[in-house]
Amino acid sequence: MTISTQILPLVKEPERLENRLAEIPPEPGVYFMRDSSDRIIYIGKSRKLRSRVRSYFRDGYNKSERIATMVKLVTEIEFIVTDTEAEALALEANLIKQHQPYFNVLLKDDKKYPYLCITWSEDYPRIFITRKRQFGKEKDKFYGPYTDAGLLREIVRLCKRIFPQRQRPQPLFKDRPCLNYDLGRCPGVCQQMISPEEYRKIVQKIAMVFQGRTQELIDILTQQMNAAAENLNFESAARIRDQISGLKSLTANQKVSLPDDTVSRDAIALAANEEYACIQLFQIRAGQLVGRLAFVADAHAEPGAILQRALEEHYQTADSVEIPLEILVQHNLPDGDILADVLTQRKGKKVTILTPLRQTKAELIEMVERNAQYELQRMQKLGDRNDQAMQDLAAILDLPDVPHRIEGYDISHIQGSNAVASQVVFIDGLPAKQHYRHYKIKNPTVTAGHSDDFASLAEVIGRRFRKYGDDPQLARLGNPDWPDLIMIDGGKGQLSSVVAVLQEMNLLEDLRVVSLAKQREEIFLPGESKPLTTDSEQSGVQLLRRLRDEAHRFAVTFHRQQRSDKLKRSRLDEIPGLGHHRQKQLLGHFRSVDYIRQAAPTQLAEVPGIGPRLAQEIYDYFHPS
């Protein structure tokens, strides 16, 4: 007789459910819902854990359809008690990021919205725009995501003109500053002509711009300008005057009409369809719109829960000065009281969260919602265009389904030298750069003066799929890395070489391969002597062209990097005892062969792995007697 060990949902075992609910204390904390596979499917927080968790299983509780479905799957409930609601809020946010529960509101990491990053972890902080919000170091600060990338770049450009700061990621010269120092655009960071403390004061002023404190910064600079003028330091006063003028140009034409211009406010609203919710957050300080941020989430949850998650994510890393006194929301938040109390504690002043229903504040929420609707329409249009392109491509190639993952390959070299290959990936018609790969061609017959694109492509495809050669069916089923389509940059010859290696690996039946020739944008299929009859302006063909162009760009970029590295090491290769690793150490320390040539033996010996004896040999090589 077989005994079933499957755990039943709690709703089907009332006694076990009641016993479990009785064990949950009436204290603040975080709770977990698990299903029969022991997966965490929901994470929540509450001031009183027992009453919140019990409410999910109460018959009269007004649950959404999604939450009702979730409750039917719960087989176990766990909890973590915290001392305060603030700890519960922070713990919930971290656990949601870690476990990504299916029934929670999950904000999408949308790469089309840029952030501004300030690397406070460094002695001389860098300021740059990025589309990847990665908290590698705790002190680094991200602002955004911003909806208008062009405006963000313009603000950063103006800040570089207004405040002297490092203009280059790496020094141009080893022993002297570049022209930016002479022009007054850089305080000489590369030569440490300004102390880290003084430089951080400059960066802090720039940070105030992105904190929405431009007017506060103008007031501070005005006081400094007046003080400099009183001390007859007219040159300094004139420089500060120019900074004030530049800052005022940043805030021109950004006035928002509100009855109380002295109160700092954030206004948040969303627009949603069946799939996505586009969220807009307007930052208003002293009656001026100082920032417009955007978030994207799945639209499966209630609007209030989506707004709550976006606000928690936004304020989690915000400094106290960045938290407004008033937050206007489009819908009531399920845990708005907890968020308001936590923000009040961090701000040191009363923070109010309210849903305006009439007059000017309601009109402001309507304006934010209207902007969210425009963004949703733009996203919908882009998604429809991609869907149409993939459907068209599936029709052109007679694919059984719309291709989800498409891979493109290209070769780059100069007459065989430094030959490399690229692998780029499109997911649902869009570049997925986290899956990009590049390869160095290892074929010994591919050398300077002798190229072989056919053999190079065969090598790369063989290396990409060699681990699947033994059992292709097992590799394909449920494997997210298995492509629905492979595109080779080239014509019949390139395609034939790839087909041959896939036949040897018994993978040709499980992989769909095509090639796209550059000259006439012709698509070739395996075993066919003539290209498909297509129109170059078809959306499916254009999708393949975008994939081909991206593969070419990625291959050329890697080839240039390899060629540059080889040129850097060309002279170092001639020094006995100086291997590849020590060459990298030297170049990482001195940045170029010219600086290595100018260095004294004592300076060379400071590099890790370079002792006094090898340092003298390096010096003697560049300075023969």
Side-chain angles (χ1 to χ4, degrees):
M1 182 177 68
T2 303
I3 300 176
S4 175
T5 59
Q6 182 179 7
I7 303 176
L8 295 176
L10 287 173
V11 292
K12 294 187 177 181
E13 296 187 277
E15 184 177 353
R16 187 164 71 92
L17 170 61
E18 189 58 36
N19 291 336
R20 187 56 179 146
L21 293 176
E23 295 171 352
I24 302 176
E27 298 183 36
V30 175
Y31 55 92
F32 309 76
M33 305 285 195
R34 292 184 181 270
D35 64 4
S36 58
S37 302
D38 201 36
R39 293 175 301 183
I40 296 176
I41 59 175
Y42 188 79
I43 297 174
K45 62 182 176 302
S46 178
R47 282 178 168 172
K48 295 182 180 180
L49 285 170
R50 179 183 296 170
S51 58
R52 170 58 64 83
V53 176
R54 185 179 292 274
S55 68
Y56 286 99
F57 300 92
R58 193 179 299 131
D59 291 338
Y61 183 64
N62 185 21
K63 297 187 287 284
S64 66
E65 182 179 348
R66 188 173 180 83
I67 293 299
T69 302
M70 182 267 294
V71 169
K72 295 176 183 178
L73 300 176
V74 176
T75 59
E76 185 56 88
I77 304 170
E78 298 177 4
F79 60 88
I80 298 176
V81 174
T82 59
D83 292 331
T84 64
E85 294 91 341
E87 292 178 0
L89 183 67
L91 179 60
E92 181 206 35
N94 291 333
L95 290 173
I96 289 175
K97 287 181 180 179
Q98 178 182 349
H99 296 285
Q100 299 281 297
Y102 178 76
F103 288 95
N104 278 97
V105 175
L106 302 176
L107 298 182
K108 290 184 169 296
D109 185 17
D110 203 316
K111 298 296 191 300
K112 71 172 178 288
Y113 295 131
Y115 293 84
L116 180 98
C117 179
I118 301 180
T119 58
W120 290 110
S121 58
E122 302 178 6
D123 291 338
Y124 295 94
R126 292 177 294 123
I127 302 173
F128 59 90
I129 297 172
T130 179
R131 295 181 187 268
K132 297 181 181 180
R133 192 185 187 192
Q134 298 176 339
F135 290 95
K137 297 183 179 178
E138 185 177 352
K139 293 182 179 180
D140 292 349
K141 179 69 177 177
F142 288 83
Y143 298 95
Y146 292 95
T147 58
D148 193 335
L151 178 60
L152 177 60
R153 286 192 293 269
E154 178 64 15
I155 293 174
V156 172
R157 186 187 68 82
L158 287 174
C159 284
K160 285 188 174 184
R161 286 179 51 193
I162 296 169
F163 300 104
Q165 58 183 287
R166 61 188 298 179
Q167 304 285 330
R168 304 177 60 87
Q170 298 294 344
L172 188 60
F173 305 107
K174 180 176 176 58
D175 55 353
R176 60 185 176 88
C178 65
L179 187 60
N180 286 311
Y181 175 76
D182 299 318
L183 296 175
R185 295 180 179 176
C186 175
V189 173
C190 62
Q191 304 301 320
Q192 299 183 355
M193 303 176 74
I194 182 174
S195 67
E197 294 76 15
E198 290 299 317
Y199 186 72
R200 292 172 80 88
K201 291 179 181 178
I202 297 175
V203 178
Q204 185 59 58
K205 293 177 181 178
I206 300 172
M208 291 177 70
V209 174
F210 295 95
Q211 292 169 348
R213 303 164 62 196
T214 307
Q215 186 57 50
E216 181 183 344
L217 178 58
I218 290 174
D219 295 339
I220 293 173
L221 291 176
T222 301
Q223 294 177 2
Q224 294 178 356
M225 180 183 67
N226 294 335
E230 290 177 2
N231 295 328
L232 305 181
N233 191 348
F234 299 116
E235 183 178 348
S236 176
R239 184 173 63 254
I240 298 174
R241 178 204 60 202
D242 293 340
Q243 292 176 345
I244 294 172
S245 177
L247 288 171
K248 288 182 177 179
S249 70
L250 288 177
T251 59
N253 301 322
Q254 293 186 21
K255 192 75 171 176
V256 177
S257 177
L258 283 175
D260 188 356
D261 287 349
T262 62
V263 177
S264 59
R265 293 182 176 89
D266 281 356
I268 187 169
L270 62 81
N273 57 17
E274 297 79 9
E275 188 175 4
Y276 297 114
C278 287
I279 307 143
Q280 295 266 306
L281 188 148
F282 280 31
Q283 299 171 303
I284 301 163
R285 305 293 183 265
Q288 291 180 333
L289 179 63
V290 300
R292 184 161 72 99
L293 311 183
F295 308 89
V296 178
D298 290 325
H300 56 68
E302 294 296 318
I306 297 174
L307 295 180
Q308 172 105 21
R309 184 75 188 97
L311 289 174
E312 290 173 355
E313 174 80 10
H314 172 63
Y315 293 124
Q316 186 179 17
T317 58
D319 297 332
S320 59
V321 294
E322 301 171 47
I323 299 173
L325 296 176
E326 190 174 83
I327 303 172
L328 307 180
V329 296
Q330 177 190 23
H331 301 279
N332 291 326
L333 307 183
D335 291 310
D337 52 348
I338 295 180
L339 180 60
D341 290 347
V342 170
L343 295 180
T344 296
Q345 294 175 14
R346 290 174 54 191
K347 180 74 173 177
K349 296 180 181 179
K350 177 67 174 177
V351 176
T352 304
I353 300 178
L354 57 93
T355 307
L357 299 176
R358 60 171 65 95
Q359 297 180 345
T360 310
K361 294 180 181 179
E363 293 174 357
L364 175 60
I365 285 293
E366 290 177 2
M367 182 181 71
V368 179
E369 180 183 358
R370 194 161 60 249
N371 281 272
Q373 188 66 47
Y374 289 142
E375 186 66 17
L376 179 66
Q377 292 173 1
R378 190 170 72 89
M379 179 178 289
Q380 183 72 49
K381 185 177 180 181
L382 179 62
D384 292 344
R385 191 184 307 154
N386 283 331
D387 290 343
Q388 181 183 358
M390 288 186 293
Q391 290 173 7
D392 186 49
L393 182 61
I396 291 172
L397 302 179
D398 195 22
L399 301 176
D401 297 300
V402 173
H404 168 65
R405 179 186 174 109
I406 310 176
E407 295 182 359
Y409 294 85
D410 190 19
I411 304 295
S412 181
H413 57 82
I414 294 180
Q415 295 182 346
S417 64
N418 301 113
V420 298
S422 66
Q423 169 198 325
V424 301
V425 179
F426 277 23
I427 302 292
D428 294 332
L430 296 175
K433 295 188 178 182
Q434 68 272 25
H435 299 299
Y436 284 18
R437 299 289 183 270
H438 50 235
Y439 300 84
K440 295 180 183 178
I441 301 302
K442 299 179 179 179
N443 191 325
T445 64
V446 178
T447 58
H450 185 273
S451 62
D452 191 338
D453 288 359
F454 301 164
S456 298
L457 282 168
E459 174 191 331
V460 170
I461 295 299
R463 289 162 62 183
R464 165 67 174 93
F465 295 101
R466 61 188 172 193
K467 61 182 178 182
Y468 302 123
D470 296 334
D471 196 342
Q473 292 294 334
L474 182 63
R476 182 177 62 178
L477 293 175
N479 188 345
D481 293 332
W482 192 263
D484 300 299
L485 178 66
I486 294 175
M487 187 222 64
I488 304 299
D489 184 4
K492 290 185 293 184
Q494 285 86 346
L495 180 61
S496 298
S497 63
V498 170
V499 167
V501 72
L502 289 176
Q503 283 178 328
E504 292 177 7
M505 302 170 71
N506 296 319
L507 292 176
L508 187 58
E509 294 183 1
D510 300 283
L511 288 169
R512 189 64 187 269
V513 190
V514 301
S515 68
L516 181 64
K518 287 188 178 72
Q519 193 168 19
R520 297 181 181 177
E521 310 294 356
E522 295 174 326
I523 301 175
F524 289 91
L525 300 180
E528 300 290 337
S529 59
K530 294 183 179 180
L532 291 176
T533 303
T534 58
D535 182 356
S536 61
E537 299 305 315
Q538 280 184 259
S539 58
V541 178
Q542 290 180 343
L543 175 59
L544 280 185
R545 286 166 58 184
R546 290 197 297 272
L547 179 71
R548 189 269 316 278
D549 293 344
E550 181 68 354
H552 180 70
R553 180 200 65 80
F554 194 55
V556 169
T557 300
F558 185 52
H559 169 70
R560 288 173 179 167
Q561 176 189 335
Q562 294 299 305
R563 191 176 62 191
S564 175
D565 291 344
K566 185 175 181 180
L567 289 174
K568 286 181 180 179
R569 294 195 302 266
S570 59
R571 296 203 63 187
L572 299 180
D573 286 333
E574 301 173 5
I575 303 176
L578 193 62
H580 178 66
H581 177 70
R582 287 174 173 172
Q583 291 179 22
K584 288 179 62 177
Q585 295 285 83
L586 277 171
L587 289 169
H589 183 83
F590 289 102
R591 304 295 180 189
S592 75
V593 175
D594 290 335
Y595 290 156
I596 297 173
R597 182 190 297 109
Q598 298 171 13
T602 54
Q603 295 174 311
L604 293 168
E606 294 174 359
V607 179
I610 307 295
R613 180 177 177 181
L614 182 56
Q616 188 62 50
E617 291 182 6
I618 297 171
Y619 181 82
D620 292 343
Y621 172 81
F622 287 110
H623 302 84
S625 57

